[in-house]
Amino acid sequence: MNGRRRTALRAAVGLAALGALLSGCGIRATEVPTDFGPAPSRVGCSLGEPEGAGRAARGLPVQVFLVCGSSLVAVDREVRVTDGAADARRVLAAQGLLDELTREPTAAEREAGYTTRVRAGTTVTGPRAGDPEDTLRLSLPPAALSSTALAQVVCTFSDSAAAEGDGSVILGGPDDSRPRRYRCTEEVRSRPAAGRPPSAEATGS
């Protein structure tokens, strides 16, 4: 075998190994177009078959972003949403996502290295008078959340019906501060502790 063929063979083997490594991280595609960047590097972040797989679904299938290693990784959960007006259903869905973010990870998730930074008991309500109509107001000011916890909330909401059409999320707190429009970017997802999600004051009502 000549030198050129040996070089080509080594390159092909290297690419195959890289593909196998990336496919093992357990990250699934989402319906909302987002730019979440590369998969996290920790092999331990891979989960097996979800608990309860094969049983009839008890709620709406969703994905929430938990912390694994130094990155955010999407995991499958279910949220119950009752019938009602669209605005009420949207807030109920957002609360269901928050409940999933605040509850203790399952045994399988803990074993794989997953944790959450979102504080238990966090709640969400809809807009106040003068807020943009898609505003979600948290029981804590977004500024009071750690950068990682805020990133979990923003990225989870941006991958759900709580998001604007462009994937952004309008969040406020329990005070009278103007809500802000947040985005889940590649940098936020891959390095949530490095800085807060990019945001701008939300305008309109």
Side-chain angles (χ1 to χ4, degrees):
M1 181 181 296
N2 60 36
R4 182 177 299 176
R5 293 183 61 189
R6 284 197 298 270
T7 299
L9 179 59
R10 284 196 297 269
V13 172
L15 288 173
L18 178 61
L21 176 61
L22 293 179
S23 66
C25 266
I27 297 177
R28 296 180 55 184
T30 61
E31 294 182 0
V32 178
T34 49
D35 182 16
F36 284 148
S41 59
R42 277 190 57 168
V43 175
C45 295
S46 179
L47 284 170
E49 189 177 22
E51 294 182 7
R55 296 203 304 262
R58 295 169 296 174
L60 179 69
V62 296
Q63 289 188 323
V64 300
F65 282 84
L66 300 183
V67 183
C68 197
S70 59
S71 304
L72 299 185
V73 182
V75 298
D76 294 325
R77 295 286 174 80
E78 291 179 357
V79 170
R80 290 180 178 272
V81 181
T82 58
D83 292 333
D87 289 346
R89 286 172 57 85
R90 181 171 173 273
V91 173
L92 287 173
Q95 184 61 60
L97 292 169
L98 272 181
D99 292 343
E100 291 299 320
L101 283 175
T102 59
R103 77 175 174 87
E104 186 73 13
T106 66
E109 289 166 352
R110 291 196 304 272
E111 185 176 351
Y114 289 82
T115 61
T116 184
R117 303 287 190 273
V118 184
R119 196 176 306 176
T122 305
T123 59
V124 63
T125 57
R128 297 178 179 178
D131 286 347
E133 63 179 359
D134 290 331
T135 299
L136 294 169
R137 285 192 172 266
L138 304 175
S139 56
L140 293 171
L145 300 177
S146 70
S147 60
T148 300
L150 182 58
Q152 283 186 259
V153 173
V154 169
C155 289
T156 295
F157 283 178
S158 72
D159 187 35
S160 74
E164 292 275 274
D166 60 358
S168 64
V169 182
I170 302 177
L171 297 178
D175 54 20
D176 293 327
S177 299
R178 289 291 300 170
R180 299 184 67 83
R181 184 185 302 275
Y182 294 85
R183 297 184 183 278
C184 179
T185 64
E186 173 185 339
E187 180 69 13
V188 169
R189 185 179 179 276
S190 60
R191 301 177 60 197
R196 306 183 75 75
S199 67
E201 184 172 312
T203 58
S205 60

